[in-house]
């Protein structure tokens, strides 16, 4: 996502790279919407996590423990969330998750930022019992910008399409009844979700390529997501 070569790619599809060597690259999609972000707030370690403070090294050139701590964001313990909703006749079950991200160290590029981003959202798209977990892995000179762009943009796009599809299904079932109560809208089928994820990834990819703040054509981001819907 983000690179020019990925403009016509869909989830899981390999597309030919325009670079030398005739290589192939895997373009993967992601999903999500930020309603409740279980992320750490900005703190004194954020600058070291994101960018460029000179690293603290020992005599052998290895990162000191306090430097590693400054470069790391992690959950203190695992978190629990109940997926599913009895009101919709769905048997709920418990999901546990945790997160950890660390800015790496490249001696030849000591100021390189962390190019990863992650997203955790409960009640995804406003649907009780839905859960989204996503990891974005940026690459290229502006990979960190691409990962943050996708984290911010893609969730909103997918949520919009999901709500529209659910309302459309409800109107079809109720003979074009206008009901804005989303609790009455049906849960989407797997094939419908697949189509919406593909559409949303392509839409986000196009928006990223058109964003003047990400001028580097060979930068982009992959994403891996787990979405529990229904």
């Amino acid at each position: 996502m983000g690179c020019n070569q990925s403009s016509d790619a869909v989830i899981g599809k390999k597309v030919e790279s325009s670079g030398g060597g005739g290589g192939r690259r895997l373009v993967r999609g992601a999903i999500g919407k930020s309603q409740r972000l279980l992320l750490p707030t900005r703190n004194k370690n954020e600058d070291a996590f994101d960018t460029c403070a000179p690293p603290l090294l020992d005599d052998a050139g290895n990162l000191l423990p306090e430097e590693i701590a400054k470069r790391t964001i992690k959950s203190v313990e695992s978190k629990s969330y109940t997926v599913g909703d009895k009101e919709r006749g769905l048997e709920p079950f418990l999901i546990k998750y945790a997160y950890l991200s660390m800015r790496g160290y490249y001696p030849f590029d000591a100021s390189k930022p962390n190019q990863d981003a992650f997203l955790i959202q409960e009640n995804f798209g406003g649907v009780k019992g839905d859960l989204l977990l996503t990891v974005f892995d940026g690459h290229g000179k502006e990979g960190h910008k691409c990962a943050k762009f996708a984290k911010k943009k893609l969730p909103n796009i997918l949520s919009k399409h999901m709500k529209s599809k659910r309302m459309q299904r409800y109107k079809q079932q109720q003979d074009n009844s206008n009901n804005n109560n989303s609790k009455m809208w049906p849960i989407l089928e797997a094939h419908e979700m697949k189509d919406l994820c593909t559409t949303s990834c392509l839409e986000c990819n196009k928006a990223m390529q058109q964003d003047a703040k990400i001028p580097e054509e060979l930068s982009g981001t992959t994403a891996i997501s787990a979405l529990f819907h229904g």
Side-chain angles (χ1 to χ4, degrees), residues 84-142:
D85 184 4
K86 282 187 176 180
E87 294 180 7
R88 300 197 304 267
L90 305 170
E91 189 63 32
F93 59 96
L94 191 66
I95 293 289
K96 289 188 175 183
Y97 60 86
Y99 58 84
L100 185 149
S101 182
M102 177 183 168
R103 176 189 162 209
Y105 172 54
Y106 300 83
F108 55 87
D109 188 6
S111 63
K112 185 175 182 179
N114 189 334
Q115 294 193 307
D116 300 335
F118 64 96
L119 174 69
I120 301 166
Q121 187 209 326
E122 300 173 355
N123 296 328
F124 170 63
V127 180
K128 181 181 177 182
D130 280 12
L131 174 66
L132 171 76
L133 309 171
T134 304
V135 174
F136 303 93
D137 184 0
H139 52 264
K141 182 180 179 181
E142 305 292 345

Side-chain angles (χ1 to χ4, degrees), residues 59-186:
D59 293 338
N62 300 313
L63 296 177
L64 292 173
E66 55 265 38
E67 178 68 22
I68 294 175
K70 285 198 303 181
R71 291 165 173 258
T72 303
I73 290 180
K74 62 181 179 179
S75 51
V76 178
E77 58 186 13
S78 63
K79 297 177 180 292
S80 300
Y81 180 70
T82 301
V83 171
D85 184 4
K86 282 187 176 180
E87 294 180 7
R88 300 197 304 267
L90 305 170
E91 189 63 32
F93 59 96
L94 191 66
I95 293 289
K96 289 188 175 183
Y97 60 86
Y99 58 84
L100 185 149
S101 182
M102 177 183 168
R103 176 189 162 209
Y105 172 54
Y106 300 83
F108 55 87
D109 188 6
S111 63
K112 185 175 182 179
N114 189 334
Q115 294 193 307
D116 300 335
F118 64 96
L119 174 69
I120 301 166
Q121 187 209 326
E122 300 173 355
N123 296 328
F124 170 63
V127 180
K128 181 181 177 182
D130 280 12
L131 174 66
L132 171 76
L133 309 171
T134 304
V135 174
F136 303 93
D137 184 0
H139 52 264
K141 182 180 179 181
E142 305 292 345
H144 55 296
K145 294 182 180 179
C146 296
K148 290 180 179 179
F149 182 97
K151 172 183 173 179
K152 180 179 179 180
K153 189 81 172 179
L154 187 57
N156 297 323
I157 295 173
L158 180 61
S159 178
K160 173 190 69 177
H161 287 306
M162 288 181 64
K163 288 179 179 179
S164 177
K165 186 65 175 180
R166 292 180 66 213
M167 178 182 286
Q168 180 187 43
R169 285 261 318 268
Y170 180 82
K171 287 183 176 181
Q172 291 172 345
Q173 294 173 2
Q174 302 296 325
D175 194 23
N176 289 321
S177 171
N178 247 337
N179 191 330
N180 292 323
N181 182 3
S182 60
K183 292 183 178 180
M184 303 294 294
W185 300 347

Side-chain angles (χ1 to χ4, degrees), residues 37-48:
L37 295 181
L38 303 180
L39 299 178
T41 57
R42 295 192 69 88
N43 54 49
K44 64 182 180 180
N45 292 340
E46 192 94 4
D47 290 338

Side-chain angles (χ1 to χ4, degrees), residues 1-4 6-7 145-146 149-150 152-154 157 160 199-215:
M1 182 181 298
C3 305
N4 281 349
S6 66
S7 59
K145 294 182 180 179
C146 296
F149 182 97
K152 180 179 179 180
K153 189 81 172 179
L154 187 57
I157 295 173
K160 173 190 69 177
T199 298
S200 299
C201 288
L202 292 174
E203 188 174 325
C204 183
N205 186 60
K206 183 177 180 180
M208 188 183 298
Q209 291 179 335
Q210 294 174 342
D211 193 306
K213 296 179 181 179
I214 309 177

